Amino acid sequence: MRTFKTLLVIAGAAVILALPLSFGLFWINMVITALIFSLVVFSINLLTGLTGLLSFGQAGFVGIGAYTLGVLAKQGNPPLLAGLYGVLLAMACGFLLGLPAARLKGHYLAIGTLGFGILIYQLLTNSVDITRGPMGLLGIPTGGIDKQTWYLITLGVCLAVLAALAYVDRYSIVGVVLKMVRHDEIAARASGINVFAVKLIAFTVSAGLAGLSGALFAAYVRFLTPDLFNEQESFRYMMMAVVGGIGSPLGGVIASLMLTTIPEGLRILGEDNLRLLVYGTMVLFVLWFLPSGIGGLLERRRR
Amino acid sequence: MFVQILINGLVLAGGYALVAVGLTLTFGVMRMVNFAEGQSVMIGAFVAYTCVPYVGYVGAIAAAMAVNAVLGIILERTAFRPFRGVELNGLIASMGMSIVLVNVAELVWGTTPRPFDTLYNDTSVTIGTVGISVQRLICVVVSGAILTGLWWLVAYTSLGRKFRAVSEDHETASAMGIDVNQVSRLALVIGSMMAASAGALAGPVNMIAPDMGRTEMLNAFAAIILGGFGNVNGTILGALLIGLIQSIAAVYISNAYSTSIAFALLVVTLIFFPRGLVPERVDENV
């Protein structure tokens, strides 16, 4: 009986996951972008949800990943290699930011990382000879893949990261260490955990995830402007993470799907501002009535 | 040249200080960061802009402050009271409110930046060899006056004592018969009104646009971090530093990076002083 139920769940999940393949271009596009965004949400789940560190500079890492791929691929490097460089550069920046940031706490950390994000945004905007600044980086040579394949790629990456996070969270000693640092730094230190190193690693890996999202975004959309990576975007990722439930990557995917597709669906309202108005109000309503986000709702169902 | 840079720096610093002190007050009392404060500046600037033709500049500032007082009450109810103790959610809620406010403003006033002209923009006085517009002088003097008023309020009045008591210890203050909700609401109302004055004062110096709240808030954050969260005097010091450094950097380095320079300075400061220049007292329990 139990195996039957598991089979049923797996079959249901497969149907839901395959469903977007039959969508029209507009919606499949939306789902792909949402999946790419949810990688950033995962990076926040890891950093804030597991390790208890706040970052309002995630869009900076996304920007680093995206622009590295864009610039290198346009110079003729193979896109996969360029993407790898993007992720590595984002990780290196995450490490460098982590050096001072791992010593900061709470609001100081939030604003310090916000500062990093702004620094990256202004660098992208002002170093016109490399990034073309506000004129935008056009025609990144990663075309030729159809939307269905893109959907499968992004879905695969998301599921892999989701599984890895769930594994770290539930079964691995790493998860225990991360959560210990979040709950009680002093106790963690007393148990022989190098808190600084743990935080540094969390920053680096989370930056890598955000960079990966950026690289995928650049390869998929093939057009970049610095405005896609300003601090407003960092806030938006944070909103997705909180609406999804900060410790719940699965909730994060659902939130990023919701917060990407619903505002787009609201384009029928015509006016751009009305759309964003609904978006803001929606976030408020979720916070009022579901304080632990969509993840909390899923958790309650499970019990 | 020197006078010019100094006055420009003080104009910037005055605006930053008004916003930052409002933020710091709210933070001190509620332990929550108000991410919608920048939008309060923007709403203040637009309300003043709309009212100037009817009631004059002074009346417009008063009107902006009145509107923002109401806005403060709304913010407290929607984004702060429901989230007491759940800091991150409160933060995100104030971001949500901030999105709502920007878009309401864009619906009402449109998205294009517009000049905010007052009588005092075109008149200027000569100090030494340079002409300084009267509007800039008004900015410096009035923001100085408001900040002094706030300092007096916090240091010497019974409301100020309540603010300090609540920021020291929420529960004990409540046990001593202080209505924490009321004090929080007042902190937000005062913070919001200060933001309105910042918008109404600095608006005429620059252009006003519905997205102006962004930079206002970022610079205010930089000032707060430099000065230490929840510390009014430190925050004013931080705002002065940021304003002066930006106006010097705008002349000698580049205008394009002015926000970056503020934040680079901030990151460097945080490396050496992880809790700001004037650290707040935090007890860590073992």
Side-chain angles (χ1 to χ4, degrees), chain A residues 238-254:
Chain A
M238 205 66 194
M239 279 183 197
M240 288 179 182
V242 170
V243 167
I246 196 71
S248 162
L250 190 61
V253 182
I254 298 173

Side-chain angles (χ1 to χ4, degrees), chain B residues 28-113:
Chain B
V29 172
M30 281 184 273
R31 300 280 123 183
M32 281 168 142
V33 182
N34 179 5
F35 267 88
E37 179 91 354
Q39 311 318 334
S40 305
V41 179
M42 179 269 297
I43 298 281
F46 270 100
V47 171
Y49 165 84
T50 314
C51 292
V52 155
Y54 308 107
V55 289
Y57 189 47
V58 178
I61 296 179
M65 289 174 96
V67 169
N68 265 32
V70 178
L71 182 63
I73 295 174
I74 297 175
L75 276 175
E76 201 262 342
R77 271 301 164 90
T78 53
F80 289 89
R81 195 179 299 180
F83 302 109
R84 185 163 292 150
V86 212
E87 262 175 38
L88 188 61
N89 285 21
L91 221 88
I92 303 293
S94 66
M95 284 177 189
M97 273 310 282
S98 150
I99 294 180
V100 169
L101 288 174
V102 174
N103 286 289
V104 167
E106 288 189 349
L107 282 174
V108 177
W109 287 290
T111 49
T112 37

